[in-house]
Amino acid sequence: GESVGLHLPTLSVQEGDNSIINCAYSNSASDYFIWYKQESGKGPQFIIDIRSNMDKRQGQRVTVLLNKTVKHLSLQIAATQPGDSAVYFCAEYTGNQFYFGTGTSLTVIP
Amino acid sequence: DVKVTQSSRYLVKRTGEKVFLECVQDMDHENMFWYRQDPGLGLRLIYFSYDVKMKEKGDIPEGYSVSREKKERFSLILESASTNQTSMYLCASSLGQGIQPQHFGDGTRLSIL
């Protein structure tokens, strides 16, 4: 997942703009990836997933891009809304378990 | 929708106490997991279970045990709570076939005094 540190990376965007959240994963053998959204006081919520045989997958207002060459995953949120404010983190599946990033805190400015 | 329910949102216990955290899922999922979430760190796997009566150690099992007597219920036990076990504990479940996304409960924030 993302590099481990004491402070969450943060991202602030204007309402209506597009958001891009990035994740560098660690294992080139990872074959499945998930993006989760975690709102304050709640558990992580599944947003979208992608398998390693794909480069791009789209959902409702969200797109995940996978670049296996540089081991990079990104989440794009179109027309960001105040309800999108949360911590977003990626998870990679390798071996027999998931490994989770530390997350990016997204703040949407009205 | 999958519903993973953790019995307590907040829990305060004392050092040395035996602590039980309960988790129930309603989607007949084979797999269940316990994680802890600490500031600045990704979720860390404590224990998981692929079937009733089965358990496997995750990355940080020391000081914990688990119980899975029924398919829908997975309990995390702190044998003798210590202050370094103060954390947010998250339970998750997933289907058993192939690689599947995990669905999480809302967590139990445990404080050990």
Side-chain angles (χ1 to χ4, degrees):
Chain A
E2 298 105 325
S3 56
V4 174
L6 293 178
H7 301 285
L8 281 179
T10 59
L11 176 66
S12 295
V13 299
Q14 289 290 142
E15 181 178 357
D17 286 353
N18 297 335
S19 303
I20 300 176
I21 300 170
N22 297 301
C23 174
Y25 64 93
S26 56
N27 193 328
S28 57
S30 296
D31 48 13
Y32 178 60
F33 304 86
I34 299 177
W35 277 102
Y36 284 95
K37 172 187 179 183
Q38 188 172 21
E39 296 175 271
S40 181
K42 294 189 176 181
Q45 177 187 359
F46 172 90
I47 302 174
I48 191 167
D49 58 1
I50 188 168
R51 298 195 185 266
S52 59
N53 60 354
M54 302 173 70
D55 297 322
K56 179 180 179 179
R57 190 155 188 240
Q58 288 185 286
Q60 188 178 12
R61 277 202 311 119
V62 295
T63 300
V64 55
L65 298 177
L66 175 61
N67 185 331
K68 293 181 286 292
T69 303
V70 295
K71 294 188 286 186
H72 185 267
L73 193 68
S74 68
L75 176 70
Q76 300 177 1
I77 305 173
T80 313
Q81 302 168 0
D84 294 327
S85 292
V87 174
Y88 293 81
F89 56 88
C90 64
E92 61 178 306
Y93 188 88
T94 187
N96 66 344
Q97 68 180 68
F98 281 99
Y99 293 90
F100 296 83
T102 54
T104 295
S105 179
L106 175 66
T107 300
V108 181
I109 304 165
Chain B
D1 274 354
V2 177
K3 184 71 173 176
V4 179
T5 303
Q6 295 185 231
S7 55
S8 304
R9 293 298 304 274
Y10 300 93
L11 209 52
V12 180
K13 296 291 183 180
R14 296 206 172 273
T15 304
E17 282 192 74
K18 190 169 186 176
V19 181
F20 294 85
L21 303 184
E22 306 288 347
C23 174
V24 176
Q25 51 93 5
D26 66 357
M27 285 301 293
D28 203 35
H29 283 176
E30 288 81 8
N31 306 329
M32 296 190 74
F33 308 84
W34 275 106
Y35 294 90
R36 62 178 285 175
Q37 185 176 36
D38 298 291
L41 300 178
L43 301 183
R44 291 183 291 166
L45 182 62
I46 305 171
Y47 266 97
F48 58 102
S49 169
Y50 290 147
D51 201 351
V52 176
K53 304 282 188 183
M54 291 183 63
K55 61 183 178 182
E56 298 285 344
K57 292 180 180 179
D59 297 322
I60 51 165
E62 296 79 18
Y64 304 95
S65 63
V66 290
S67 172
R68 193 159 181 209
E69 296 296 319
K70 294 184 178 181
K71 190 175 185 180
E72 68 270 19
R73 185 179 297 270
F74 193 35
S75 303
L76 179 69
I77 304 153
L78 285 66
E79 297 291 343
S80 177
S82 63
T83 54
N84 63 10
Q85 292 179 308
T86 291
S87 186
M88 170 69 86
Y89 289 88
L90 290 164
C91 175
S93 72
S94 69
L95 281 169
Q97 297 85 0
I99 305 170
Q100 299 287 343
Q102 296 181 6
H103 300 271
F104 287 85
D106 282 337
T108 296
R109 186 165 294 281
L110 175 64
S111 296
I112 306 297
L113 305 179

